[in-house]
Amino acid sequence: MNANGCDVLVIGEGLSGLTAAASAASHGAHVTLVSKGAGNFALGSGCVDLEDVDQRTLGLEEIDESEAVNFFLDLTASAQCAYSGGIGERTVVPTILGTFQRTSLAPRTLWQADPRNYKQVVVAGIADLPGFDPNFLAERLSFHAGQLALDTLYRSAMVALPHSPRHPLTALEIATHIDRDSAFRTAVVHALRPVIEHADLLILPGILGVKSDDADLVCFEEEVGCAICELATLPPAVPSLRLLNRLELHLAQMGVEIFTGFPVGKLRTEGEQCVAVELETPGRPRRLRADCVVLACGRFAPFLEPPPADFTGSTSSLSNVFACGSLLGQFAPRQRNAISILTGYRAGMLASRQGVQYAGR
Amino acid sequence: MRDDDLKLDNCVKCSDCNTACPVLKVYPDFSGPKALGPDMERFRREGVPSDSRWVEYCLGCHRCDVACPHGVNVSELIAKGKAQHPKSGRTALRDHWLARPSTLGKLCSSIAPVANAVLKLTPNRMLMSSFGEITAERKFPAYSSKAIRPAIANHGSRAALFFPGCYIRYNAPQVGQVVVKLLRLNGFSVNVAPDICCGMPALANGDTAQLTDCVERNVADMVQAVDRGAVIVTACTSCGYALKGDYSHLLAKHPTLAEAADRVSGATYDLAELLVELQDAGKLNDEFVVPRRRRLAYHAPCHMKSQGIGRPWLKLLRAVPGIEIEEIKADCCGMAGTYGFKNEKYGISMDIGRDLFRGILAFKPDLAVTECGSCQMQIEHGTHVKTVHPAQILYEAYKVGKPL
């Protein structure tokens, strides 16, 4: 068995696990992040709605909500995938279903799509890319803007991109192509420019690269000549995949060791302490020793059968195990990302207070 | 369903496997792991005819398995598709031989000077391309007739059975000898396993009969050493991944052998995995000499990543004074063993490797290092940077070690 030690070991790579790992690392802990794969965060739009989150039910009174939210805003800004919004702020952003969603935090390009800011918006679809119908979207968004007593006009356009005629496009294919091929990227810019006309916002399916950072997106907007908002398409949703890539890269720069691909088989306990986590790796389990463990693995983790006695507040019956995210209870889907940030921040902070013996080694 | 393996039911179509696929990244005509694995498996099991030509374009890198958040055995399902895919003519003949590097190695290394001279000849390479469907763009690795010598036991030393694999045994025995010496320096007595292929090339070329034969013979041989307390050590990450693999389904007819296979896989270590354990326990021999300054670009092979052992070579070599080593994070190199040698796949292979080549060249290293023989070939081919096994760098650092 391998012996490998860290101060804080985080299980799970969804929004709560990423936040917890960053929070523990920023408090000086030597952190390892393990996961079987990307969490559900990588499938959605990334919106965070802070309204109606009752901190008392989570035992979150001791957490300053603004501290956690500001930490997350700083984290995404440093990772070059900045969020906009904040405590007390609220806006509406379009969805792929042609509705408007209320949100307190969102990736910058989505946040700026608040219909109150625009008179004319163009929704551009890509020929041969299924799952994003600009006519449907423009019609529904105009209708829903009307219901919000706004006269924002959404019109549709269709652009063609160079691609193999043998199969339909996918958002992932376009995004990967933009990442790897500057000539193709230029072709996309040239294809989009003519559809702008008098519009001051362009809505696109999420295609602008899985590796691009904030500066790349600003550059793209400048070249096209218009603010751009990307919507999450069918999985894999490029904008959230990009967020995950940026955050992973940033965590690695913060010194977090990221270990993905292998499920946790067992928590090794001694008395009231979890001393190690065993990953199911080929051949034999890999044992990772840790002073503290943060569970950010969601509700369906087989290694939690039977589940630890309770997760009242933040800790379990094991004194050095902290829980965050949807493991803490059943929440309305709209609230889950907010709860992940608040509880992830807290779990990382609490864990880093207990374990710092490996830091600085 | 006529199969009791229901892991494919865990597939929720999240497409995370597609985001990890190196082939899909450069070749959008390829259907991708989700379609070729769990999706098409439903047709294959029911015997419904389906277009299976794209399974042939799977690298077998196993990145889809690692990426899947739900534990679907994506690459195993694609390998099943490969095994059922009908091949004919030149391609079938070529793949038959590429699935048997051990037979080829025995033959060529016994007449190494002649074989190497013939393999280098341009007319022969043109012939191999026209009639053998093997690309003329690449040089075949040279064969060597040198044998890897075992190391005699010291009193109190631990026993290791070194499994060199076909590439190290027939093409790079000097690397094999370095592995034996490193183990010896760290308190192991070393035997060398008999010349049986690990089976990975057979799996990659859809040859189940050959794979089963390799697995059966290897398990039957190695379980004896394991039961006497030896560890199995590999220095080729594809061999290591194959020996650690779960082949109980192939050995269903031999329950005792299936059970022995678990003992063998449980006792198999990558060389660096074993040495880093010693390092963690403070038991690594660290009598390193005055540093030879080296700036190294490290590439992590896909089959090392799929073993889940972290990055043991980075940790080991960072403990050597004078060594500066950085991982060039650019996914797969695109070679995938025999894949990059095939006429129709050479272009895809080089496209996949492009990001890695650029990363290595931008880093301006003295040498590139990676533990996989086929990644080494690809990096040298794509960058012209000399590429070696990290074991060679570590051995060089010891007092007794000789410079590269």
Side-chain angles (χ1 to χ4, degrees):
Chain A
M1 295 243 179
N2 267 291
N4 223 330
C6 64
D7 295 320
V8 178
L9 188 141
V10 179
I11 303 174
E13 208 190 6
L15 188 54
S16 62
L18 292 163
T19 310
S23 151
S26 74
H27 286 89
H30 176 38
V31 182
T32 300
L33 173 65
V34 302
S35 77
K36 176 64 197 92
N40 288 338
F41 174 60
L43 301 175
S45 66
C47 287
V48 180
D49 193 356
L50 293 162
E51 200 175 52
D52 302 332
V53 174
D54 185 355
Q55 289 188 265
R56 281 165 308 173
T57 58
L58 294 165
L60 276 169
E61 296 94 332
E62 82 269 31
I63 285 281
D64 182 350
E65 188 184 47
S66 66
E67 188 181 311
V69 170
N70 288 333
F71 174 80
F72 182 75
L73 288 170
D74 287 347
L75 172 70
T76 52
S78 331
Q80 290 292 307
C81 54
Y83 264 66
S84 302
I87 299 270
E89 292 194 48
R90 208 150 158 78
T91 191
V92 287
V93 296
T95 75
I96 186 105
L97 295 176
T99 56
F100 288 103
Q101 176 184 14
R102 282 182 301 162
T103 186
S104 318
L105 305 169
R108 182 191 64 86
T109 55
L110 187 56
W111 181 267
Q112 70 183 3
D114 181 345
R116 289 169 295 192
N117 299 340
Y118 304 99
K119 285 279 171 236
Q120 281 201 49
V121 180
V122 59
V123 184
I126 314 284
D128 260 359
L129 174 72
F132 185 95
D133 183 339
N135 296 324
F136 167 83
L137 272 175
E139 186 190 313
R140 302 305 297 161
L141 288 172
S142 295
F143 170 76
H144 283 115
Q147 293 215 314
L148 294 171
L150 298 168
D151 57 359
T152 314
L153 183 70
Y154 290 82
R155 66 178 164 81
S156 66
M158 197 58 119
V159 299
L161 299 179
H163 75 285
S164 155
R166 285 188 289 274
H167 59 90
L169 278 165
T170 65
L172 179 67
E173 176 184 341
I174 302 172
T176 313
H177 216 149
I178 286 178
D179 283 335
R180 284 174 57 91
D181 184 349
S182 58
F184 179 78
R185 185 183 170 285
T186 310
V188 177
V189 170
H190 286 299
L192 290 173
R193 264 187 207 151
V195 305
I196 308 286
E197 289 175 28
H198 303 295
D200 32 24
L201 176 71
L202 168 65
I203 294 181
L204 287 177
I207 53 167
L208 300 179
V210 293
K211 293 190 173 162
S212 24
D213 60 18
D214 283 339
D216 294 328
L217 295 181
V218 168
C219 190
F220 202 90
E221 285 180 318
E222 281 169 1
E223 286 175 46
V224 173
C226 182
I228 295 178
C229 155
E230 286 175 280
L231 297 183
T233 57
L234 286 170
V238 168
S240 47
L241 199 59
R242 182 193 306 144
L243 272 172
L244 179 65
N245 285 340
R246 297 301 322 165
L247 288 173
E248 270 192 355
L249 206 63
H250 183 65
L251 288 177
Q253 282 165 359
M254 291 173 83
V256 175
E257 284 189 47
I258 302 175
F259 206 103
T260 60
F262 305 92
V264 170
K266 238 180 236 161
L267 300 182
R268 287 271 166 200
T269 55
E270 279 173 18
E272 289 189 346
Q273 296 264 309
C274 173
V275 290
V277 168
E278 277 184 16
L279 302 183
E280 288 173 1
T281 48
R284 63 199 158 274
R286 178 175 169 83
R287 187 178 286 189
L288 300 171
R289 281 185 292 113
D291 283 1
C292 291
V293 174
V294 173
L295 300 174
C297 49
R299 301 177 65 80
F300 302 107
F303 68 93
L304 291 178
E305 290 297 333
D310 65 278
F311 285 114
T312 47
S314 56
T315 55
S316 68
S317 50
L318 296 166
S319 62
N320 64 338
V321 174
F322 303 87
C324 57
S326 57
L327 189 57
L328 293 172
Q330 282 177 332
F331 307 109
R334 202 165 57 81
Q335 298 179 346
R336 279 183 200 154
N337 280 348
I339 285 164
S340 290
I341 291 173
L342 296 174
T343 59
Y345 174 73
R346 179 186 57 176
M349 197 177 69
L350 292 176
S352 68
R353 274 187 205 153
Q354 278 203 17
V356 283
Q357 63 156 318
Y358 289 91
R361 275 195 193 172
Chain B
M1 285 283 165
R2 298 187 188 99
D3 198 312
D4 58 0
D5 174 12
L6 294 176
K7 276 186 234 162
L8 83 165
D9 283 352
N10 290 345
C11 176
V12 299
K13 313 298 168 204
C14 69
S15 303
D16 283 358
C17 54
N18 284 356
T19 68
C21 178
V23 180
L24 201 55
K25 187 165 80 172
V26 304
Y27 194 45
D29 284 358
F30 181 64
S31 335
K34 182 181 72 166
L36 295 174
D39 288 2
M40 278 177 59
E41 177 67 5
R42 297 185 186 279
F43 294 104
R44 288 193 286 263
R45 284 190 189 179
E46 298 299 331
V48 179
S50 52
D51 179 0
S52 65
R53 77 197 130 133
W54 294 115
V55 291
E56 283 294 299
Y57 283 80
C58 164
L59 290 168
C61 64
H62 298 261
R63 296 173 66 90
C64 46
D65 301 339
V66 174
C68 177
H70 307 286
V72 179
N73 48 345
V74 186
S75 72
E76 191 183 325
L77 299 173
I78 301 175
K80 278 166 88 176
K82 266 191 193 178
Q84 290 173 21
H85 175 71
K87 285 190 270 200
S88 59
R90 296 200 294 264
T91 317
L93 186 66
R94 175 197 67 189
D95 291 359
H96 175 87
W97 284 106
L98 290 180
R100 287 163 179 77
S102 163
T103 316
L104 275 180
K106 257 177 243 165
L107 187 73
C108 295
S109 59
S110 65
I111 51 160
V114 181
N116 292 340
V118 172
L119 285 171
K120 256 191 237 165
L121 286 176
T122 311
N124 177 56
R125 283 163 65 183
M126 306 301 285
L127 280 174
M128 277 168 66
S129 174
S130 312
F131 295 103
E133 296 294 344
I134 284 177
T135 180
E137 303 287 333
R138 288 185 198 276
K139 285 186 195 130
F140 239 68
Y143 285 93
S144 167
S145 54
K146 279 193 186 152
I148 303 165
R149 297 180 305 280
I152 302 142
N154 260 9
H155 183 68
S157 59
R158 288 172 70 188
L161 180 68
F162 174 40
F163 184 94
C166 301
Y167 179 76
I168 290 182
R169 187 189 299 272
Y170 299 115
N171 303 102
Q174 73 283 5
V175 173
Q177 206 59 61
V178 159
V179 174
V180 172
K181 287 176 179 168
L182 279 175
L183 287 168
R184 181 81 172 73
L185 280 166
N186 283 285
F188 287 89
S189 67
V190 191
N191 272 317
V192 181
D195 49 358
I196 307 164
C197 175
C198 69
M200 190 59 94
L203 181 74
N205 285 286
D207 197 331
T208 315
Q210 173 67 7
L211 170 65
T212 311
D213 181 60
C214 293
V215 172
E216 282 180 3
R217 288 165 64 205
N218 272 321
V219 170
D221 177 76
M222 287 193 284
V223 75
Q224 299 172 34
V226 170
D227 288 345
R228 285 195 301 269
V231 288
I232 311 286
V233 181
T234 61
C236 163
T237 47
S238 299
C239 297
Y241 186 56
L243 296 184
K244 285 179 178 180
D246 173 18
Y247 289 127
S248 45
H249 59 282
L250 290 176
L251 302 169
K253 285 184 206 147
H254 314 284
T256 36
L257 212 52
E259 198 253 336
D262 288 342
R263 295 210 292 286
V264 169
S265 78
T268 300
Y269 286 78
D270 183 78
L271 173 68
E273 182 189 8
L274 190 63
L275 294 180
V276 99
E277 260 189 34
L278 296 178
Q279 188 185 32
D280 283 342
K283 291 176 183 164
L284 184 77
N285 177 343
D286 56 0
E287 289 175 6
F288 299 126
V289 282
V290 185
R292 180 184 307 277
R293 299 203 68 79
R294 291 234 189 247
R295 180 175 162 85
L296 305 173
Y298 173 70
H299 165 63
C302 297
H303 288 166
M304 193 279 293
K305 290 181 182 162
S306 50
Q307 290 184 42
I309 55 177
R311 300 285 187 276
W313 277 117
L314 288 183
K315 205 170 166 193
L316 284 166
L317 290 179
R318 280 180 180 150
V320 175
I323 299 268
E324 181 197 353
I325 183 166
E326 281 304 325
E327 179 178 350
I328 308 299
K329 290 182 180 164
D331 301 347
C332 178
C333 77
M335 186 65 180
T338 59
Y339 190 96
F341 277 110
K342 298 176 180 178
N343 258 350
E344 74 280 13
K345 290 164 187 137
Y346 173 77
I348 299 173
S349 161
M350 292 302 284
D351 265 357
I352 295 172
R354 201 187 68 184
D355 294 347
L356 177 65
F357 304 154
R358 286 183 180 171
I360 290 175
L361 291 171
F363 185 70
K364 295 191 171 61
D366 302 324
L367 289 170
V369 287
T370 185
E371 54 263 58
C372 166
S374 93
C375 300
Q376 287 161 20
M377 275 187 250
Q378 175 82 334
I379 293 169
E380 289 199 335
H381 183 65
T383 63
H384 303 290
V385 173
K386 187 179 177 190
T387 309
V388 299
H389 195 291
Q392 293 170 282
I393 303 286
L394 185 65
Y395 181 62
E396 183 192 51
Y398 282 106
K399 267 182 199 147
V400 292
K402 293 193 187 97
L404 278 168

